[in-house]
């Protein structure tokens, strides 16, 4: 940080109840693409290099306080017991931290998740460079309903902000609105807060009144119009939550495409902010890529695939599948219709095919589980093949047990491997086996009854049936 760079203090206002969400979950803990609303706002403030960050929360906000500490446990939280207004909230936040007069105080709303770090940094720069009392982020909107209106003076500074309920008819015609995101010179803010009175329709201390007070004291208040009015969008209900999600989705997708990722159908591709995707990955329509997921160069994902907390190496292919907590090696192939559960590890070139579920198991390099199987608590070596319909019976009703399959093994179709059990390197098992005993390396394990044919049974027991007639025909034509 430069020597004469003033300290920055960030204050997030998040004490609102969020009643319009109609939810048991506090509003700011609702999520957009892998991060809570408050998490997005905090992330935007990460690059400010703020000396202190203070979040004002409402009563009964234990979960919100936990979420904030999870983001960064050096953040201060202040509980606002009763709604005293945005001015009151900032006032109590400032009381909890040391704020030098020369500091810049950035104020943000906890429910406006689309603000970017670039805009915040710009706002701070404008406030400092102009030696202003405040810089206010504003936006020109088609429908200013519900927002505070920005009243400019002839030199294009801001004279005041009027709330809709307190505005004259003429003031209501203004389409430039207050975002509730500001940068203040600390000294100007502190003295203005001391003067704010709850003389308004809601009997609250309005932070917006600080603007008029600062201006009257002879300091400049500078409007900064957001390039993109989305940045100021607040989330108050589920409809706005969906709108904000769509905007965030587009932002993430545009950034990925710019970095060399092909998205065949961006509107149906939902990728969390926490995901990392290398160039030359192709994502087909209808995918959700969530949590801490990384996808290596050249991989092909989708259509209709969900990945959550997965690691996918280069050149893998995952088609129409659900993968949660799995790691997938280079050139591995998953799907269509596979279900990889936590602890599923696929080696390089491994294959998991249709209607196969894998849990807490390692499938070695080049090994294949192509069709209709359940593989749980198993270790499979390299270059082995598991026949269609094979199941590891890992659960005896009380405890889970391991199945260990070696390298270059051939498990026949429709086997049931009753764990704990081991099949040695290079062993085979016969189709339809119930394998209850270990199979030594190189052995053929046969675990099924000898077949016997009871000749003439249908003719005797099902006399006159179509089956009996067909059998009769067959014997005559011989
Ligand atoms: C506020 C602004 C308005 C602006 C709009 C932008 C004021 C008086 N008005 O109006 O000019 O156009 O935001 O969305 O500031 N909060 C607290 N404690 C309180 C009151 C509010 O923490 O006592 C928090 C809320 O949780 C929210 C933020 O402050 O995150 C803004 O409060 P809200 O009630 O949404 O203000 P608006 O009426 O929308
Ligand atoms: Ca609001």
């Amino acid at each position: 940080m430069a020597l004469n760079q003033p300290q920055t203090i960030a204050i997030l206002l998040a004490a609102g109840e969020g009643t319009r969400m109609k939810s048991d979950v506090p509003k700011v803990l609702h999520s957009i693409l892998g991060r809570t609303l408050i998490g997005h706002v905090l992330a935007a403030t990460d690059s400010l290099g703020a000396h202190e960050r203070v979040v004002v929360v409402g009563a009964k906000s234990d979960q919100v306080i936990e979420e904030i500490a999870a983001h960064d446990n050096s953040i201060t939280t202040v509980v606002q017991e009763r709604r005293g207004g945005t001015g009151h909230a900032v006032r109590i936040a400032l009381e909890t931290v040391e704020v030098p007069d020369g500091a810049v105080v950035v104020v943000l709303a906890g429910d406006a998740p689309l603000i970017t770090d670039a805009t915040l940094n710009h706002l701070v720069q404008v406030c400092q460079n102009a030696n202003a009392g405040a810089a206010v982020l504003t936006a020109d909107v088609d429908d200013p309903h519900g927002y505070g209106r920005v009243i400019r003076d002839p030199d294009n500074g801001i004279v005041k902000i009027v709330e809709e309920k307190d505005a004259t008819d003429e003031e209501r015609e203004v389409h430039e609105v207050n975002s509730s995101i500001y940068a203040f010179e600390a000294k100007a803010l502190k003295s203005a807060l001391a003067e704010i009175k709850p003389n308004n329709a809601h009997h609250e201390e309005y932070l917006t009144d600080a603007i008029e007070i600062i201006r009257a004291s002879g300091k400049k208040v500078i409007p900064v119009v957001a390039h993109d009015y989305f940045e100021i969008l607040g989330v108050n209900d589920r409809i706005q939550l969906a709108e904000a999600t769509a905007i965030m989705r587009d932002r993430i997708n545009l950034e990925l495409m710019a970095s060399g990722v092909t998205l065949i159908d961006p509107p149906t591709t939902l990728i969390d902010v926490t995901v990392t995707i290398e160039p030359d990955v192709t994502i087909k329509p209808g995918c959700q890529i969530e949590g801490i997921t990384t996808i290596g160069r050249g991989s092909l994902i989708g259509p209709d695939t969900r990945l959550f907390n997965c690691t996918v190496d280069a050149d893998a292919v995952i088609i129409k599948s659900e993968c949660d907590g799995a790691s997938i090696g280079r050139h591995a192939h998953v799907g269509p219709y596979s279900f990889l559960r936590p602890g599923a590890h696929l080696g390089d070139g491994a294959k998991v095919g249709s209607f196969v579920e894998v849990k807490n198991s390692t499938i070695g390099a080049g090994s294949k589980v192509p069709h209709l199987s359940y593989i749980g608590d198993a270790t499979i070596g390299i270059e082995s093949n598991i026949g269609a319909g094979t199941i590891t019976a890992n659960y005896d009703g009380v405890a889970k047990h391991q199945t260990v399959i070696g390298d270059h093994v051939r498990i026949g179709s429709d086997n049931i491997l009753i764990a704990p059990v081991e099949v040695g390197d290079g062993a085979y098992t016969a189709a339809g086996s119930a394998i209850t005993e270990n199979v030594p390396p190189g052995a053929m394990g046969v675990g099924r009854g000898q077949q016997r044919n009871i000749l003439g049974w249908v003719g005797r027991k099902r006399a006159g049936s179509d089956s009996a007639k067909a059998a009769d025909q067959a014997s005559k034509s011989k």
Side-chain angles (χ1 to χ4, degrees), residues 286-301:
C287 291
Q288 293 103 58
I289 304 179
E290 303 173 346
I292 311 297
T293 292
T294 58
I295 304 176
R297 201 173 260 277
S299 287
L300 180 62
I301 312 295

Side-chain angles (χ1 to χ4, degrees), residues 408-431:
H408 297 280
V409 169
R410 299 285 176 267
I411 300 290
S413 291
D414 192 29
N415 272 213
I416 179 155
L417 298 155
I418 302 178
V421 73
E422 289 188 32
V423 180
D425 292 344
Y428 277 52
T429 66

Side-chain angles (χ1 to χ4, degrees), residues 20 27 109 111 146-147 180 234-236:
R20 279 179 282 166
K27 175 167 87 174
D111 62 356
Y147 285 103
S180 244
V235 172
N236 297 297

Side-chain angles (χ1 to χ4, degrees), residues 42-66:
L42 286 170
T45 66
D46 282 343
S47 76
L48 283 174
H51 190 68
E52 297 275 1
R53 285 191 278 183
V54 186
V55 186
V56 183
V57 299
K60 290 184 251 158
S61 295
D62 293 356
Q63 287 167 277
V64 180
I65 292 170
E66 265 174 48

